[in-house]
Amino acid sequence: MRAKRDRARAAADRAKAAHDRARAAADREEAARERAEALRSRTESADNLKLATTDELTGAWTRKFGLEEVSRELERAHRTGATLVLAFIDVDGLKQVNDSQGHLVGDALLQLVGETLRASVRPYDVIVRYGGDELVCAMPNLSGAEARARFETIAASLTAINAEHSVTFGLAEAEPADSLQELIARADADLLEARRSAQSND
């Protein structure tokens, strides 16, 4: 009888161990499914955020999110005493291109400008699609002279691709008391001055 009870107990123990192993395997599968779902959800959220923050034509930041990034760079410059140069860039003649050659050609021009800008500045410089034919670019730890040389090269690169492709740019160096609006306004004023100078030289 004792041997019979022992065999029954051992069989029960084996059955319980098998049940526990099956439950552990099911728990692992469920945990793996949850991890995969969480990863999919994070990836989808990251993709949605990228779509919301990136301008589809130029690859630059969209205005709302981009200006927040520029504002952070300005605050960092104020806090650390580092330099910050803001470029205001206008794609020359975009409206005329859209009107005479169609919006697809205008879109292609914007894509080209975006690609040229991204290839010519540093990965941590902040490029923002500010308006229809306007972009701004915040460049930390760079002097005004270095920024001007860089943007003259960018303008020359675009014209080399097509003589009718050009940009006009203005620059402003951040000052300790600058707000973001004041910095942008000074860069825009410098752009207008550059355009007046170019027209008077024509």
Side-chain angles (χ1 to χ4, degrees):
M1 287 291 291
R2 188 178 298 115
K4 190 173 181 180
R5 282 197 301 273
D6 289 346
R7 286 196 298 275
R9 190 175 295 119
D13 287 345
R14 286 194 299 275
K16 183 176 185 307
H19 176 71
D20 289 345
R21 286 194 298 274
R23 178 181 293 168
D27 288 345
R28 286 194 298 274
E29 287 176 9
E30 179 63 23
R33 277 195 297 273
E34 288 175 356
R35 284 195 300 273
E37 181 59 34
L39 179 61
R40 272 195 301 275
S41 179
R42 281 197 302 273
T43 302
E44 189 174 300
S45 295
D47 289 345
N48 288 339
L49 181 62
K50 186 172 174 59
L51 281 173
T53 60
T54 305
D55 176 63
E56 62 180 345
L57 286 176
T58 61
W61 286 87
T62 54
R63 178 169 172 147
K64 177 181 184 299
F65 294 98
L67 290 183
E68 289 174 3
E69 288 296 310
V70 175
S71 185
R72 275 192 278 273
E73 289 295 341
L74 181 58
E75 288 169 10
R76 184 179 296 116
H78 288 336
R79 190 173 63 251
T80 63
T83 59
L84 178 70
V85 179
L86 185 83
F88 199 107
I89 307 117
D90 188 83
V91 182
D92 297 330
L94 180 63
K95 184 179 186 308
Q96 288 86 341
V97 170
N98 285 334
D99 291 346
S100 63
Q101 301 176 57
H103 283 81
L104 286 178
V105 177
D107 288 352
L109 175 55
L110 280 170
Q111 287 173 334
L112 174 63
V113 170
E115 288 166 6
T116 304
L117 279 172
R118 293 198 314 276
S120 304
V121 300
R122 300 162 302 181
Y124 51 86
D125 291 335
V126 182
I127 307 171
V128 184
R129 176 90 180 272
Y130 190 75
D133 56 359
E134 299 163 336
L135 299 102
V136 296
C137 179
M139 296 164 286
N141 303 309
L142 203 66
S143 72
E146 290 169 325
R148 189 165 298 280
R150 182 164 299 184
F151 271 87
E152 284 171 353
T153 300
I154 290 168
S157 298
L158 286 165
T159 306
I161 294 169
N162 185 325
E164 295 182 0
H165 293 167
S166 65
V167 294
T168 303
F169 64 90
L171 301 175
E173 293 187 60
E175 296 175 357
D178 269 341
S179 68
L180 177 60
Q181 290 73 23
E182 288 167 336
L183 184 61
I184 290 173
R186 284 211 319 282
D188 189 19
D190 190 56
L191 181 151
L192 294 174
E193 182 59 36
R195 178 160 287 145
R196 278 194 292 270
S197 296
Q199 288 169 349
S200 65
N201 290 333
D202 287 344

